[in-house]
Each structure stands twice: as C-alpha cells, then as structure tokens.
Amino acid sequence: MKLRDGPSACPSLWRSLPCPPAELRLDLVLSSGQTFRWWESSPGAWTGVLGERVWTLRQEQDRLWYTVYGEEQDGRPDGAETDQILRDYFQLDVGLPALYRAWGAADPLFRKVANDFPGVRVLRQDPVECLLSFICTSNNHISRITAMIERLCQAFGRHLCCLDARPIHAFPSLSALAGTDTEARLRALGFGYRAKFVSGTARAIVEGLGAEGLRRLRTVPYAEARRELCALPGVGTKVADCVCLMALDKAEAVPVDTHVWRIAQQRYGAVLGGRSLTPRAHQEIGDFFRGLWGPRAGWAQAVLFCADLRKGQELAGSRDQARRSRGRDNRGRCPP
C-alpha cells in the first residue's frame, strides 16, 4: 500500500489480538451495512477510519492483525490504547459462540443460518457518526450510502492522510455540519431530501444535547434513548433503533424495516404490525424477536440480516453473470 503525505502518515508496526473467526469475521461485519467507512483495500485486508485515525485490519487464523496510520502532531497511540480501541469497537468482551448456541437452541431457523455465518457481531460506534450516517440510509442501498458518506467526509471532515493516492478524511464534527449553508452544500453533493435532516439534526444536537449528551444516552433505558432520538429531524423508529443498537449499548434494540418485517411474517409466521410499518408495528415485531432471542435480540437479528444480505448479493451476482453469459452467447450467434 503506497502512502503519501510524508513521514507523519507512516504506519506504526503491525500488532495483533487473539480473535478466532467464531468471534469475528471482518468480511461479514464490515460489509453488512452497520458502518460505511471501511473498504477491502487488498484481498483480506480492510482499511477504514476509526477514532480519527486510519487503520488497516487483517485476520489470519486466530488473530486479528492491525496497523494504524496516525499524525505526529496528534501523538501516536501506544499498543495498549490501540488494542483497547479495537476491543471496544468490536465489543470483543462479548463472547459470541455462547450467544450463537443460545439463539440456536431457542430458534431452529437461526441455528440453520448461523452455521454459514459465524462471527457476526454488533459494532460499538461513535454515536454522532452512527446517527448522521443512518439518517442517510432512508430509501437507499449500501453502495450508494457508502459513496454519500465518503462525499460528506471529503467536504466537511478533517484530512487525515492519503493511501494509494486516495485522500482519507475524518467524519465531520457536529459544528462543521451545523452551518447555515450545510443543507445547500449537501444537496449539491446529491443528498436530496436527506440534506435537510443531516444538517437539521447536527444543529439540533449542537443546540440541545451536545455530543456528550448524545453519548450519555448509553446510560439511560432503551425506551428513553429511542424517544430522545426520535425527536430529532429525520429520525424515525428504525434509524433510532439502529443507533440504539450500534452506538448506544442497547443490545435489545431490533431495527425493523420492510425486510425484517417480511422475515418475521414469512419465516416465523408472525402476524404482526398490520398493513404498514407504524411505530406500533415496530414495537410488536421488536417484542416478538426479544421474546424469541432474549436480551441481545439485536445481535441475533444482525446475523440473520447479514445472511440475507450476503445471499441477496450472491443471487444478484449470479443473475448478472447469467446476463453476461447470455450476452456473449447472443453475440456468438450473430451472423458475420
């Protein structure tokens, strides 16, 4: 990997943590729509921004290897600090195999899926980044969301370094997104109606809770945290549940969209929610899965969501390959 911006951007030495695949699968967790700031920079290696530093991660056998690209003026973190950042981000203090066994014992469908999708765990993200990112997910798909977040960071975030001639920026601060011209700039970047919600929520947090107040929602009950989030511009129940689960330590939060609703109805035979995804429907479906999977229901749902997403991507890839093959066959049958 070629590095620019001089010696201050050089990586530290590679370090590793014990982490078997049953506890973490980078390829599943970092590509399944929990976060949008990681990319596979080379086969098996994932590069992204965490804690305003650029990291590259790689798994080999039972170890998670990493290197950090820092800036000299910020001070380079020591190994104990970087180890703890990763442990916290991936919540490695939560033993995943025991949870998989418990969920599988309670749910034969989960048991069937889980064998092919080990190591799917929920990230513990920065609340501001998680909230503003998930506002961008409305009526959107992962590749487009990822591109939007990249444009957001390039336009408003602090430049960190360049890797392989690719400029990498930190996620923007709240103050950077709370300006009076932010909405117009985001619309110019292709955010559409989401521009109003991103800028409005950033401004509402600056003028209200503040970043620390948002982080303190980790200590309040789930229902209270969700209620506070739903009072922000553009934040509905689903986005609030994503933030509760992935940034605010509410492992019982089950984000419900039409996809999860369909899983509940078609695979579990659950007659829930009426004909539309009202707040009541969200509550009923979440309660159903909490009753099935227990206090970490959001983690179990993440496994099923990842499995469905990966299978959908594989199916789409197969269809694309078939179309290309048909195209080649048709060209082959054309007269000279």
Side-chain angles (χ1 to χ4, degrees):
M1 181 176 292
K2 294 180 181 178
L3 193 64
R4 296 188 178 180
D5 285 2
S8 66
C10 290
S12 59
L13 296 176
W14 284 86
R15 290 178 55 86
S16 70
L17 298 172
C19 189
E23 290 286 4
L24 172 66
R25 280 275 303 273
L26 287 177
D27 59 327
L28 297 178
V29 172
L30 296 180
S31 66
S32 61
Q34 289 192 52
T35 177
F36 308 98
R37 305 236 47 212
W38 295 87
W39 68 96
E40 194 170 14
S41 48
S42 62
W46 292 83
T47 297
V49 180
L50 172 60
E52 296 209 346
R53 293 186 176 96
V54 183
W55 305 61
T56 295
L57 313 177
R58 179 186 292 277
Q59 282 185 286
E60 290 183 10
Q61 298 178 347
D62 286 348
R63 301 199 72 82
L64 173 63
W65 289 87
Y66 69 88
T67 190
V68 186
Y69 309 85
E71 292 185 342
E72 286 181 351
Q73 61 265 35
D74 287 344
R76 227 178 259 295
D78 62 28
E81 180 187 345
T82 53
D83 284 2
Q84 186 53 42
I85 289 171
L86 283 187
R87 289 184 187 279
D88 182 72
Y89 184 64
F90 288 110
Q91 304 199 70
L92 294 179
D93 59 323
V94 178
L96 205 54
L99 288 174
Y100 267 59
R101 288 192 295 272
W103 295 327
D107 178 5
L109 176 59
F110 181 93
R111 186 166 62 247
K112 181 179 179 181
V113 168
N115 289 336
D116 294 327
F117 293 89
V120 177
R121 58 175 53 246
V122 171
L123 300 174
R124 189 175 194 244
Q125 303 179 56
D126 173 74
V128 170
E129 178 173 342
C130 187
L131 172 59
L132 296 177
S133 296
F134 273 93
I135 288 175
C136 299
T137 64
S138 174
N139 299 313
N140 221 338
H141 55 79
I142 290 176
S143 60
R144 188 162 180 260
I145 299 162
T146 301
M148 289 173 68
I149 299 301
E150 181 69 14
R151 294 195 297 274
L152 178 78
C153 295
Q154 288 181 0
F156 295 92
R158 182 170 66 91
H159 178 264
L160 297 175
C161 67
C162 285
L163 294 179
D164 295 330
R166 173 177 179 161
I168 304 177
H169 295 74
F171 195 86
S173 66
L174 282 170
S175 58
L177 293 173
T180 56
D181 65 340
T182 298
E183 180 181 347
R185 292 175 65 187
L186 289 174
R187 287 187 182 276
L189 291 172
F191 277 63
Y193 68 89
R194 304 172 193 87
K196 178 179 180 180
F197 297 141
V198 171
S199 61
T201 287
R203 194 157 46 250
I205 296 173
V206 168
E207 296 171 355
L209 282 169
E212 282 308 307
L214 184 63
R215 186 177 296 271
R216 280 195 295 271
L217 293 181
R218 288 174 169 172
T219 65
V220 307
Y222 164 47
E224 181 180 341
R226 184 165 67 168
R227 187 165 56 249
E228 288 272 5
L229 292 172
C230 286
L232 296 168
V235 179
T237 308
K238 187 246 181 173
V239 169
D241 275 335
C242 287
V243 179
C244 281
L245 175 65
M246 301 172 199
L248 298 180
D249 298 342
K250 314 305 180 203
E252 70 270 39
V254 178
V256 177
D257 57 10
T258 54
H259 178 77
V260 175
W261 188 20
R262 189 166 58 249
I263 288 175
Q265 292 179 324
Q266 295 179 357
R267 301 192 182 184
Y268 290 91
V271 183
L272 299 166
R275 296 184 178 181
S276 62
L277 270 178
T278 62
R280 178 181 175 182
H282 279 265
Q283 187 66 43
E284 289 180 355
I285 296 166
D287 288 345
F288 170 78
F289 283 122
R290 281 184 283 273
L292 178 65
W293 293 323
R296 288 194 180 271
W299 285 55
Q301 183 264 349
V303 178
L304 289 191
F305 184 87
C306 177
D308 265 48
L309 178 67
R310 181 59 64 95
K311 289 174 182 176
Q313 291 169 339
E314 291 172 353
L315 182 60
S318 298
R319 285 198 299 264
D320 290 344
Q321 181 62 40
R323 281 195 292 269
R324 287 193 292 270
S325 297
R326 286 197 298 272
R328 286 194 294 271
D329 291 345
N330 289 338
R331 287 194 296 272
R333 287 194 293 271
C334 287

PDB file of all heavy atoms in Angstrom, residues 175-199:
ATOM      1  N   SER A 175     -20.110  20.664  14.676  1.00  0.00           N
ATOM      2  CA  SER A 175     -20.043  22.089  14.338  1.00  0.00           C
ATOM      3  C   SER A 175     -19.822  22.295  12.844  1.00  0.00           C
ATOM      4  O   SER A 175     -20.348  23.253  12.258  1.00  0.00           O
ATOM      5  CB  SER A 175     -18.930  22.762  15.136  1.00  0.00           C
ATOM      6  OG  SER A 175     -17.673  22.145  14.876  1.00  0.00           O
ATOM      7  N   ALA A 176     -19.065  21.380  12.206  1.00  0.00           N
ATOM      8  CA  ALA A 176     -18.832  21.503  10.768  1.00  0.00           C
ATOM      9  C   ALA A 176     -20.108  21.309   9.964  1.00  0.00           C
ATOM     10  O   ALA A 176     -20.237  21.830   8.849  1.00  0.00           O
ATOM     11  CB  ALA A 176     -17.768  20.495  10.328  1.00  0.00           C
ATOM     12  N   LEU A 177     -21.058  20.548  10.521  1.00  0.00           N
ATOM     13  CA  LEU A 177     -22.306  20.247   9.801  1.00  0.00           C
ATOM     14  C   LEU A 177     -23.471  21.112  10.245  1.00  0.00           C
ATOM     15  O   LEU A 177     -24.578  20.967   9.733  1.00  0.00           O
ATOM     16  CB  LEU A 177     -22.666  18.768   9.994  1.00  0.00           C
ATOM     17  CG  LEU A 177     -21.710  17.768   9.350  1.00  0.00           C
ATOM     18  CD1 LEU A 177     -22.071  16.344   9.752  1.00  0.00           C
ATOM     19  CD2 LEU A 177     -21.717  17.910   7.831  1.00  0.00           C
ATOM     20  N   ALA A 178     -23.244  22.003  11.195  1.00  0.00           N
ATOM     21  CA  ALA A 178     -24.338  22.803  11.736  1.00  0.00           C
ATOM     22  C   ALA A 178     -24.424  24.194  11.122  1.00  0.00           C
ATOM     23  O   ALA A 178     -25.230  25.011  11.565  1.00  0.00           O
ATOM     24  CB  ALA A 178     -24.187  22.917  13.256  1.00  0.00           C
ATOM     25  N   GLY A 179     -23.624  24.456  10.086  1.00  0.00           N
ATOM     26  CA  GLY A 179     -23.624  25.773   9.471  1.00  0.00           C
ATOM     27  C   GLY A 179     -24.889  26.066   8.681  1.00  0.00           C
ATOM     28  O   GLY A 179     -25.623  25.155   8.286  1.00  0.00           O
ATOM     29  N   THR A 180     -25.133  27.325   8.424  1.00  0.00           N
ATOM     30  CA  THR A 180     -26.353  27.718   7.711  1.00  0.00           C
ATOM     31  C   THR A 180     -26.344  27.278   6.252  1.00  0.00           C
ATOM     32  O   THR A 180     -27.404  27.167   5.636  1.00  0.00           O
ATOM     33  CB  THR A 180     -26.530  29.246   7.780  1.00  0.00           C
ATOM     34  OG1 THR A 180     -25.345  29.872   7.261  1.00  0.00           O
ATOM     35  CG2 THR A 180     -26.751  29.705   9.213  1.00  0.00           C
ATOM     36  N   ASP A 181     -25.162  27.053   5.685  1.00  0.00           N
ATOM     37  CA  ASP A 181     -25.083  26.641   4.275  1.00  0.00           C
ATOM     38  C   ASP A 181     -24.954  25.139   4.095  1.00  0.00           C
ATOM     39  O   ASP A 181     -24.827  24.650   2.967  1.00  0.00           O
ATOM     40  CB  ASP A 181     -23.900  27.328   3.596  1.00  0.00           C
ATOM     41  CG  ASP A 181     -22.550  26.895   4.174  1.00  0.00           C
ATOM     42  OD1 ASP A 181     -22.526  26.382   5.324  1.00  0.00           O
ATOM     43  OD2 ASP A 181     -21.530  27.080   3.494  1.00  0.00           O
ATOM     44  N   THR A 182     -24.985  24.379   5.195  1.00  0.00           N
ATOM     45  CA  THR A 182     -24.746  22.932   5.104  1.00  0.00           C
ATOM     46  C   THR A 182     -25.778  22.237   4.243  1.00  0.00           C
ATOM     47  O   THR A 182     -25.441  21.392   3.391  1.00  0.00           O
ATOM     48  CB  THR A 182     -24.726  22.296   6.513  1.00  0.00           C
ATOM     49  OG1 THR A 182     -23.653  22.861   7.271  1.00  0.00           O
ATOM     50  CG2 THR A 182     -24.525  20.791   6.418  1.00  0.00           C
ATOM     51  N   GLU A 183     -27.055  22.551   4.422  1.00  0.00           N
ATOM     52  CA  GLU A 183     -28.086  21.872   3.644  1.00  0.00           C
ATOM     53  C   GLU A 183     -27.870  22.078   2.144  1.00  0.00           C
ATOM     54  O   GLU A 183     -27.944  21.120   1.361  1.00  0.00           O
ATOM     55  CB  GLU A 183     -29.476  22.360   4.048  1.00  0.00           C
ATOM     56  CG  GLU A 183     -30.580  21.679   3.252  1.00  0.00           C
ATOM     57  CD  GLU A 183     -31.982  22.155   3.610  1.00  0.00           C
ATOM     58  OE1 GLU A 183     -32.146  22.836   4.640  1.00  0.00           O
ATOM     59  OE2 GLU A 183     -32.923  21.840   2.845  1.00  0.00           O
ATOM     60  N   ALA A 184     -27.604  23.298   1.747  1.00  0.00           N
ATOM     61  CA  ALA A 184     -27.398  23.569   0.320  1.00  0.00           C
ATOM     62  C   ALA A 184     -26.182  22.814  -0.210  1.00  0.00           C
ATOM     63  O   ALA A 184     -26.215  22.263  -1.328  1.00  0.00           O
ATOM     64  CB  ALA A 184     -27.225  25.067   0.103  1.00  0.00           C
ATOM     65  N   ARG A 185     -25.118  22.776   0.560  1.00  0.00           N
ATOM     66  CA  ARG A 185     -23.916  22.059   0.125  1.00  0.00           C
ATOM     67  C   ARG A 185     -24.173  20.568   0.015  1.00  0.00           C
ATOM     68  O   ARG A 185     -23.711  19.909  -0.926  1.00  0.00           O
ATOM     69  CB  ARG A 185     -22.768  22.327   1.098  1.00  0.00           C
ATOM     70  CG  ARG A 185     -22.265  23.764   1.073  1.00  0.00           C
ATOM     71  CD  ARG A 185     -21.207  23.997   2.144  1.00  0.00           C
ATOM     72  NE  ARG A 185     -19.999  23.200   1.894  1.00  0.00           N
ATOM     73  CZ  ARG A 185     -18.979  23.117   2.749  1.00  0.00           C
ATOM     74  NH1 ARG A 185     -19.039  23.765   3.920  1.00  0.00           N
ATOM     75  NH2 ARG A 185     -17.915  22.387   2.458  1.00  0.00           N
ATOM     76  N   LEU A 186     -24.932  20.003   0.960  1.00  0.00           N
ATOM     77  CA  LEU A 186     -25.257  18.577   0.893  1.00  0.00           C
ATOM     78  C   LEU A 186     -26.159  18.263  -0.300  1.00  0.00           C
ATOM     79  O   LEU A 186     -26.009  17.222  -0.952  1.00  0.00           O
ATOM     80  CB  LEU A 186     -25.916  18.130   2.193  1.00  0.00           C
ATOM     81  CG  LEU A 186     -25.003  18.061   3.420  1.00  0.00           C
ATOM     82  CD1 LEU A 186     -25.811  17.741   4.671  1.00  0.00           C
ATOM     83  CD2 LEU A 186     -23.900  17.027   3.230  1.00  0.00           C
ATOM     84  N   ARG A 187     -27.088  19.147  -0.592  1.00  0.00           N
ATOM     85  CA  ARG A 187     -27.932  18.937  -1.779  1.00  0.00           C
ATOM     86  C   ARG A 187     -27.083  18.932  -3.044  1.00  0.00           C
ATOM     87  O   ARG A 187     -27.303  18.129  -3.952  1.00  0.00           O
ATOM     88  CB  ARG A 187     -29.026  20.002  -1.856  1.00  0.00           C
ATOM     89  CG  ARG A 187     -30.134  19.798  -0.829  1.00  0.00           C
ATOM     90  CD  ARG A 187     -31.287  20.757  -1.038  1.00  0.00           C
ATOM     91  NE  ARG A 187     -32.315  20.568  -0.026  1.00  0.00           N
ATOM     92  CZ  ARG A 187     -33.284  19.659  -0.088  1.00  0.00           C
ATOM     93  NH1 ARG A 187     -33.360  18.850  -1.148  1.00  0.00           N
ATOM     94  NH2 ARG A 187     -34.174  19.554   0.878  1.00  0.00           N
ATOM     95  N   ALA A 188     -26.102  19.807  -3.098  1.00  0.00           N
ATOM     96  CA  ALA A 188     -25.202  19.832  -4.251  1.00  0.00           C
ATOM     97  C   ALA A 188     -24.377  18.554  -4.351  1.00  0.00           C
ATOM     98  O   ALA A 188     -23.936  18.165  -5.442  1.00  0.00           O
ATOM     99  CB  ALA A 188     -24.284  21.050  -4.165  1.00  0.00           C
ATOM    100  N   LEU A 189     -24.180  17.883  -3.216  1.00  0.00           N
ATOM    101  CA  LEU A 189     -23.439  16.624  -3.187  1.00  0.00           C
ATOM    102  C   LEU A 189     -24.331  15.411  -3.447  1.00  0.00           C
ATOM    103  O   LEU A 189     -23.865  14.272  -3.371  1.00  0.00           O
ATOM    104  CB  LEU A 189     -22.744  16.453  -1.827  1.00  0.00           C
ATOM    105  CG  LEU A 189     -21.585  17.407  -1.533  1.00  0.00           C
ATOM    106  CD1 LEU A 189     -21.130  17.266  -0.088  1.00  0.00           C
ATOM    107  CD2 LEU A 189     -20.426  17.152  -2.487  1.00  0.00           C
ATOM    108  N   GLY A 190     -25.617  15.642  -3.720  1.00  0.00           N
ATOM    109  CA  GLY A 190     -26.504  14.544  -4.075  1.00  0.00           C
ATOM    110  C   GLY A 190     -27.245  13.912  -2.917  1.00  0.00           C
ATOM    111  O   GLY A 190     -27.745  12.790  -3.049  1.00  0.00           O
ATOM    112  N   PHE A 191     -27.384  14.619  -1.800  1.00  0.00           N
ATOM    113  CA  PHE A 191     -28.063  14.054  -0.638  1.00  0.00           C
ATOM    114  C   PHE A 191     -29.586  14.175  -0.724  1.00  0.00           C
ATOM    115  O   PHE A 191     -30.297  13.540   0.052  1.00  0.00           O
ATOM    116  CB  PHE A 191     -27.569  14.723   0.646  1.00  0.00           C
ATOM    117  CG  PHE A 191     -26.287  14.146   1.176  1.00  0.00           C
ATOM    118  CD1 PHE A 191     -25.112  14.225   0.438  1.00  0.00           C
ATOM    119  CD2 PHE A 191     -26.246  13.523   2.406  1.00  0.00           C
ATOM    120  CE1 PHE A 191     -23.931  13.697   0.918  1.00  0.00           C
ATOM    121  CE2 PHE A 191     -25.070  12.987   2.905  1.00  0.00           C
ATOM    122  CZ  PHE A 191     -23.910  13.067   2.158  1.00  0.00           C
ATOM    123  N   GLY A 192     -30.092  14.972  -1.631  1.00  0.00           N
ATOM    124  CA  GLY A 192     -31.534  15.114  -1.786  1.00  0.00           C
ATOM    125  C   GLY A 192     -32.204  15.586  -0.508  1.00  0.00           C
ATOM    126  O   GLY A 192     -31.664  16.428   0.221  1.00  0.00           O
ATOM    127  N   TYR A 193     -33.385  15.011  -0.228  1.00  0.00           N
ATOM    128  CA  TYR A 193     -34.132  15.433   0.964  1.00  0.00           C
ATOM    129  C   TYR A 193     -33.396  15.115   2.262  1.00  0.00           C
ATOM    130  O   TYR A 193     -33.675  15.707   3.310  1.00  0.00           O
ATOM    131  CB  TYR A 193     -35.515  14.773   0.979  1.00  0.00           C
ATOM    132  CG  TYR A 193     -35.494  13.274   1.182  1.00  0.00           C
ATOM    133  CD1 TYR A 193     -35.518  12.724   2.460  1.00  0.00           C
ATOM    134  CD2 TYR A 193     -35.448  12.406   0.094  1.00  0.00           C
ATOM    135  CE1 TYR A 193     -35.490  11.351   2.655  1.00  0.00           C
ATOM    136  CE2 TYR A 193     -35.422  11.033   0.277  1.00  0.00           C
ATOM    137  CZ  TYR A 193     -35.451  10.507   1.556  1.00  0.00           C
ATOM    138  OH  TYR A 193     -35.418   9.150   1.742  1.00  0.00           O
ATOM    139  N   ARG A 194     -32.433  14.198   2.228  1.00  0.00           N
ATOM    140  CA  ARG A 194     -31.684  13.849   3.439  1.00  0.00           C
ATOM    141  C   ARG A 194     -30.800  15.002   3.913  1.00  0.00           C
ATOM    142  O   ARG A 194     -30.411  15.053   5.068  1.00  0.00           O
ATOM    143  CB  ARG A 194     -30.835  12.606   3.190  1.00  0.00           C
ATOM    144  CG  ARG A 194     -31.638  11.400   2.708  1.00  0.00           C
ATOM    145  CD  ARG A 194     -30.730  10.254   2.282  1.00  0.00           C
ATOM    146  NE  ARG A 194     -31.443   9.225   1.548  1.00  0.00           N
ATOM    147  CZ  ARG A 194     -31.638   9.258   0.216  1.00  0.00           C
ATOM    148  NH1 ARG A 194     -31.156  10.268  -0.490  1.00  0.00           N
ATOM    149  NH2 ARG A 194     -32.300   8.293  -0.391  1.00  0.00           N
ATOM    150  N   ALA A 195     -30.476  15.922   2.995  1.00  0.00           N
ATOM    151  CA  ALA A 195     -29.624  17.059   3.347  1.00  0.00           C
ATOM    152  C   ALA A 195     -30.240  17.864   4.485  1.00  0.00           C
ATOM    153  O   ALA A 195     -29.535  18.282   5.419  1.00  0.00           O
ATOM    154  CB  ALA A 195     -29.415  17.950   2.118  1.00  0.00           C
ATOM    155  N   LYS A 196     -31.538  18.075   4.412  1.00  0.00           N
ATOM    156  CA  LYS A 196     -32.234  18.843   5.453  1.00  0.00           C
ATOM    157  C   LYS A 196     -32.152  18.137   6.801  1.00  0.00           C
ATOM    158  O   LYS A 196     -31.975  18.779   7.843  1.00  0.00           O
ATOM    159  CB  LYS A 196     -33.689  19.037   5.040  1.00  0.00           C
ATOM    160  CG  LYS A 196     -34.546  19.784   6.050  1.00  0.00           C
ATOM    161  CD  LYS A 196     -35.967  19.931   5.534  1.00  0.00           C
ATOM    162  CE  LYS A 196     -36.843  20.685   6.538  1.00  0.00           C
ATOM    163  NZ  LYS A 196     -38.234  20.838   6.035  1.00  0.00           N
ATOM    164  N   PHE A 197     -32.259  16.809   6.781  1.00  0.00           N
ATOM    165  CA  PHE A 197     -32.264  16.064   8.037  1.00  0.00           C
ATOM    166  C   PHE A 197     -30.871  15.966   8.649  1.00  0.00           C
ATOM    167  O   PHE A 197     -30.712  16.059   9.864  1.00  0.00           O
ATOM    168  CB  PHE A 197     -32.848  14.674   7.813  1.00  0.00           C
ATOM    169  CG  PHE A 197     -34.282  14.686   7.376  1.00  0.00           C
ATOM    170  CD1 PHE A 197     -34.746  13.785   6.427  1.00  0.00           C
ATOM    171  CD2 PHE A 197     -35.183  15.599   7.901  1.00  0.00           C
ATOM    172  CE1 PHE A 197     -36.079  13.791   6.029  1.00  0.00           C
ATOM    173  CE2 PHE A 197     -36.506  15.612   7.507  1.00  0.00           C
ATOM    174  CZ  PHE A 197     -36.964  14.708   6.568  1.00  0.00           C
ATOM    175  N   VAL A 198     -29.847  15.782   7.812  1.00  0.00           N
ATOM    176  CA  VAL A 198     -28.479  15.722   8.337  1.00  0.00           C
ATOM    177  C   VAL A 198     -28.097  17.054   8.972  1.00  0.00           C
ATOM    178  O   VAL A 198     -27.613  17.111  10.117  1.00  0.00           O
ATOM    179  CB  VAL A 198     -27.484  15.345   7.220  1.00  0.00           C
ATOM    180  CG1 VAL A 198     -26.035  15.497   7.714  1.00  0.00           C
ATOM    181  CG2 VAL A 198     -27.722  13.914   6.747  1.00  0.00           C
ATOM    182  N   SER A 199     -28.312  18.135   8.238  1.00  0.00           N
ATOM    183  CA  SER A 199     -27.945  19.449   8.775  1.00  0.00           C
ATOM    184  C   SER A 199     -28.830  19.821   9.966  1.00  0.00           C
ATOM    185  O   SER A 199     -28.353  20.376  10.961  1.00  0.00           O
ATOM    186  CB  SER A 199     -28.052  20.518   7.682  1.00  0.00           C
ATOM    187  OG  SER A 199     -29.378  20.619   7.175  1.00  0.00           O
TER     188      SER A 199
END
